[in-house]
Amino acid sequence: VGKGLDANRYATKKTVAQGMLDIALLTANASQLKYVLTVGSSHEFYTIMLVLISLSLALQLMIGLLSLSLSMLRDCRLHLSDYHNSANIISHVNLIATFIIAAVNIIINGFGILPTTTQILA
């Protein structure tokens, strides 16, 4: 006889997987930032890359803080109906910021992190 789906176990695995993906994106952005700063202004898209990577990192930090505050709100006060509206607002801001991070990282990858021809020749 098959065992049914355990919702708590599924949610836990999903949360752990999402956390690992967040850490991977944070690490990738830090590596990209290090590369851009190392190459310096000789990179043809230096300013754009610096701004986009910094924006991505700042938004990731904001999402981490919002998720932490939502978790604390859920644990401490969400049983009170007065806090449902603020929890919904935090959740929506979190979702919008996640979408912006995805779009920014697509643009970052579009500009590329690979060395330009002039950097290879130098």
Side-chain angles (χ1 to χ4, degrees):
V1 176
K3 197 169 144 181
L5 177 68
D6 183 10
N8 287 335
R9 187 172 175 181
Y10 170 77
T12 302
K13 284 184 177 183
K14 181 181 172 190
T15 302
V16 169
Q18 183 178 3
M20 288 182 183
L21 287 172
D22 290 342
I23 290 171
L25 181 60
L26 187 65
T27 305
N29 281 152
S31 176
Q32 291 168 341
L33 182 62
K34 179 183 174 186
Y35 170 77
V36 168
L37 291 174
T38 301
V39 171
S41 58
S42 63
H43 192 281
E44 58 186 333
F45 302 115
Y46 175 73
T47 306
I48 294 172
M49 293 292 285
L50 194 62
V51 168
L52 289 174
I53 293 169
S54 299
L55 176 65
S56 179
L57 288 169
L59 286 173
Q60 288 175 59
L61 179 64
M62 182 187 80
I63 283 179
L65 293 174
L66 285 175
S67 295
L68 183 63
S69 67
L70 185 60
S71 176
M72 290 169 53
L73 184 65
R74 184 182 313 130
D75 292 343
C76 301
R77 299 184 181 143
L78 207 52
H79 64 281
L80 303 171
S81 61
D82 296 342
Y83 294 96
H84 289 193
N85 193 30
S86 60
N88 280 332
I89 290 171
I90 291 172
S91 181
H92 292 315
V93 169
N94 217 347
L95 179 65
I96 291 167
T98 301
F99 178 78
I100 293 171
I101 288 172
V104 165
N105 278 284
I106 289 170
I107 294 169
I108 289 170
N109 287 320
F111 281 114
I113 280 297
L114 300 174
T116 61
T117 308
T118 55
Q119 293 166 348
I120 293 171
L121 295 176

